Amino acid sequence: MNPLTCYIIDDEPLAVKLLESFVSKTPGLQLIASFTDSVEAITAIKSQPANLLFLDIQMPDMNGMELAHMIPSETKVIFTTAFKEYAFESYEVSAIDFLLKPIRYNKFIAAVEKAHEWFGRNSQGTVPNESLPVKDSLRTVPNESLFLKVDGEYRQVALEKIVYVSGMKDYVMFYLEGERRPLITHLTMKSVEDMLPTSRFMRVHRSYIVALDKIRSVDRNDCIYIGEEIIRVTDAFKDNFLQYLQSKFPGGK
């Protein structure tokens, strides 16, 4: 495994020291430089791009979100911040991960492993973009899988891995078995609903589609327990869902 080169940018010297200690004891990482000044950092990064950038968000002069839009495309970001409200915004700049301060080493290691996976997939070219329409965020493969456009590349997702789908504004999040974070793509819930087979998936809320075979239980208040989520079936979708339950458990709900 080739080492990933990296920079650290944080206006707090103690935070920089902590991340430097994490990098020094982590195989597969090579630190180029650390900065407490974001303006100075962007000059260095443009002259010598790295694979990874450990980047604080709230900094003077230039915040991390602004800086993330200015770095070379080959540099991927892992955000480090004390403010969890930036988590969703981090997806818009295709961040590899989002580490919440105080950062623990096990979380740091998990983020680095995810970075290695990302660079491994891209170097192998597992799903060449030119083979699929770039304008499409989602494309189906009959019966068993679909392609999602995530972080500028197409990723093939097996339908059997999808636990549930959640919509937020102009984005849709696919929660998969064995994945720590959802896959986020620019889609509408209606387009996803049209693409997923109705025999296996059902919309139960304006913002949720569930995999029927992944439902663990349904309580008396029509709340679905699935994955790590509890989803309330809303009135607009309740009749269809109750009909499904009755078809599976005659004489039940």
Side-chain angles (χ1 to χ4, degrees), residues 31-52:
L31 181 64
I32 297 177
S34 300
F35 297 91
T36 55
D37 185 298
S38 55
V39 176
E40 181 184 354
I42 192 63
T43 302
I45 294 169
K46 285 183 175 180
S47 64
Q48 185 182 358
N51 301 118
L52 280 180

Side-chain angles (χ1 to χ4, degrees), residues 12 15 23 108 110 117 133 152 162 166 178 182 190 207 210 215 220 239:
E12 299 177 4
V23 171
F108 178 88
E117 291 173 3
I162 300 173
S166 174
K190 182 64 169 64
S207 300
V210 299
I215 296 174
R220 66 182 64 189
D239 287 347

Side-chain angles (χ1 to χ4, degrees), residues 51-63:
N51 301 118
L52 280 180
L53 174 58
F54 295 95
L55 178 61
D56 189 20
I57 293 179
Q58 287 208 342
M59 296 183 292
D61 299 324
M62 183 190 305
N63 70 43

Side-chain angles (χ1 to χ4, degrees), residues 106-121:
N106 64 321
K107 298 291 187 182
F108 178 88
I109 285 290
V112 172
E113 289 176 350
K114 186 171 183 180
H116 277 291
E117 291 173 3
W118 190 92
F119 281 100
R121 288 199 307 269

Side-chain angles (χ1 to χ4, degrees), residues 10-26:
D10 197 309
D11 65 314
E12 299 177 4
L14 289 178
V16 170
K17 291 294 184 185
L18 176 66
L19 288 172
E20 285 178 340
S21 70
F22 285 174
V23 171
S24 67
K25 63 182 180 181
T26 303

Side-chain angles (χ1 to χ4, degrees), residues 129-188:
N129 285 355
E130 60 269 19
S131 66
L132 294 170
V134 175
K135 66 179 181 179
D136 294 336
S137 291
L138 182 151
R139 181 181 177 95
T140 58
V141 175
N143 299 324
E144 297 304 325
S145 63
L146 51 80
F147 280 104
L148 297 177
K149 188 177 182 182
V150 180
D151 294 342
E153 65 176 8
Y154 284 91
R155 176 170 171 181
Q156 187 172 196
V157 176
L159 296 183
E160 65 182 14
K161 293 290 187 181
I162 300 173
V163 180
Y164 65 95
V165 181
S166 174
M168 182 182 293
K169 294 184 180 179
D170 298 324
Y171 294 88
V172 173
M173 294 171 281
F174 285 76
Y175 290 82
L176 309 179
E177 287 184 332
E179 297 275 352
R180 190 165 59 91
R181 295 178 65 184
L183 300 182
I184 297 185
T185 188
H186 190 74
L187 286 169
T188 65

